[in-house]
Amino acid sequence: MKFATLPNGTPDGRLHLVSRDLTRSAPAQTAKTMQAALENWSVIEPRLKVEYEALNTGGGDPFDAAKALAPLPRAWQWLDGSAFDSHGDLMDKVFGMEKKERNPKPLMYQGVSDTFYSARSDIPFVSTDDGIDFEGEFGVITDAVPINASKATAAEHIRLIVQINDWSLRKIAPVEMKTGFGWVQAKPPCGMAPVAVTPDELGVYWRDCRVDLPLNVKWNGKQFGTANGYAMSFGFDDLVVHAAYSRNLVAGTVLGSGTVSNPTYREVGSSCIAERRGIEIVDHGKPRTDYMAFGDTVSMDVRLPDGSPVFGELLETVVRT
């Protein structure tokens, strides 16, 4: 199934089913909001499937992704991982850190969850001196996950897959990291592509709880990266297990993969500016690429090999607050 949330004057919007080709939509009759659907997923999923199949055989209204909110406009919890080793290894090399043994546990932090920007938002920033950067990620949304869930149980509770732009302020991040208290100013709210999909919609491209598809990233309309999401060192099931070790996860928990990155980043490009700057430091001794300026745009899109859209396009613009 595919879902979007359209505005209705409330913070959580109105849940809609979206046709497989993303051309049509209809209000979900079984649940009014995405949060309500997630809180009752095991009960209402069969009825949602009936509505979805009916939409795909005709009916509904034209779907305008530009008007959509984030599929889950606000969430109880946003947990972001760092599951692509090639990205971490490059950053360690850039900063002159010794190559370390692989961490047996995923890296993860808790970020802003009360807002997920829509895919066509103007994103407000205070100053370009802060090092404004995009980060293309894949994410999942769970229903309620029990404490200390097994890997198999964790996989069963992954209900939706989303595509995320995790905005970062690179000049602030290292200052906050040194405090040992974590990020606040360096991590504004994330953006989210307009459509969330159930894992079965990806078919064979949902493999080992990973998205085995390239994330197409463009900066100001120019190709920037096409890294594939399968290269995660930890699958999303592992990330859920890690997050749920000492607590229950509420329905509507969003977990991110971290910046999508491949070891062949010189060939496929990158999903964030920091990685490109890291490559430039290694190759040339200093970065040649600046961070984003006011008026800049970033777009992200994922398609099946036949060209079919998966999450719809995320196209966000940097503006002065």
Side-chain angles (χ1 to χ4, degrees):
M1 292 178 284
K2 296 189 176 185
F3 298 92
T5 294
L6 295 178
N8 67 348
T10 69
D12 297 307
R14 181 69 168 90
L15 181 64
H16 282 62
L17 290 148
V18 181
S19 62
R20 190 165 282 114
D21 62 3
L22 306 193
T23 62
R24 304 189 69 76
S25 68
Q29 299 304 308
T30 311
K32 301 299 183 183
T33 66
M34 180 67 83
Q35 184 63 34
L38 291 162
E39 289 175 352
N40 298 279
W41 192 273
S42 59
V43 174
I44 68 173
E45 181 183 20
R47 286 178 278 168
L48 288 170
K49 285 182 176 179
V50 171
E51 293 183 48
Y52 182 62
E53 292 309 318
L55 176 62
N56 280 298
T57 56
D61 298 308
F63 175 57
D64 185 356
K67 294 181 179 179
L69 305 175
L72 187 61
R74 55 180 180 170
W76 286 106
Q77 187 162 225
W78 157 238
L79 301 168
D80 197 17
S82 180
F84 289 90
D85 285 342
S86 57
H87 182 75
D89 290 347
L90 175 64
M91 293 299 104
D92 288 348
K93 188 174 183 178
V94 168
F95 293 114
M97 299 175 65
E98 292 185 9
K99 188 174 180 62
K100 52 186 178 291
E101 294 184 7
R102 294 284 180 229
N103 194 327
K105 294 183 179 181
L107 297 174
M108 185 175 289
Y109 74 91
Q110 189 161 3
V112 178
S113 64
D114 58 18
T115 300
F116 282 95
Y117 290 124
S118 73
R120 300 297 175 90
S121 289
D122 291 339
I123 312 300
F125 292 97
V126 174
S127 172
T128 55
D129 292 338
D130 294 332
I132 303 168
D133 197 359
F134 50 82
E135 289 190 58
E137 304 190 11
F138 291 110
V140 299
I141 306 178
T142 71
D143 62 0
V145 182
I147 187 173
N148 198 25
S150 69
K151 191 168 179 175
T153 298
E156 291 173 358
H157 286 280
I158 293 173
R159 298 306 187 183
L160 297 167
I161 307 166
V162 291
Q163 194 276 302
I164 292 169
N165 180 17
D166 177 30
W167 288 102
S168 294
L169 298 177
R170 298 297 189 183
K171 302 291 182 65
I172 297 177
V175 177
E176 290 192 314
M177 289 175 70
K178 289 177 182 178
T179 68
F181 245 50
W183 286 315
V184 176
Q185 293 182 336
K187 285 293 185 179
C190 300
M192 194 178 285
V195 176
V197 308
T198 51
D200 59 291
E201 288 291 332
L202 295 185
V204 298
Y205 303 105
W206 177 245
R207 187 159 66 97
D208 301 326
C209 287
R210 296 161 168 85
V211 179
D212 191 9
L213 291 167
L215 175 58
N216 185 42
V217 179
K218 294 181 180 180
W219 180 10
N220 291 332
K222 296 181 179 180
Q223 191 66 48
F224 195 83
T226 56
N228 189 286
Y230 186 70
M232 294 170 70
S233 55
F234 297 97
F236 279 109
D237 49 353
D238 297 307
L239 297 184
V240 174
V241 166
H242 179 77
Y245 172 73
S246 60
R247 53 180 162 170
N248 297 311
L249 301 183
V250 297
T253 294
V254 187
L255 297 100
S257 65
T259 305
V260 178
S261 176
N262 294 167
T264 54
Y265 40 66
R266 286 184 177 84
E267 290 76 41
V268 302
S270 300
S271 302
C272 70
I273 301 171
E275 184 171 281
R276 175 172 286 187
R277 286 168 59 93
I279 297 167
E280 292 168 348
I281 291 171
V282 170
D283 291 351
H284 308 292
K286 62 180 181 180
R288 298 180 173 182
T289 302
D290 290 331
Y291 289 112
M292 300 185 81
F294 293 128
D296 280 6
T297 62
V298 61
S299 68
M300 301 179 185
D301 188 31
V302 178
R303 292 181 178 269
L304 298 175
D306 65 1
S308 301
V310 178
F311 306 106
E313 183 187 26
L314 179 148
L315 177 59
E316 295 180 322
T317 304
V318 172
V319 299
R320 190 190 301 271
T321 185

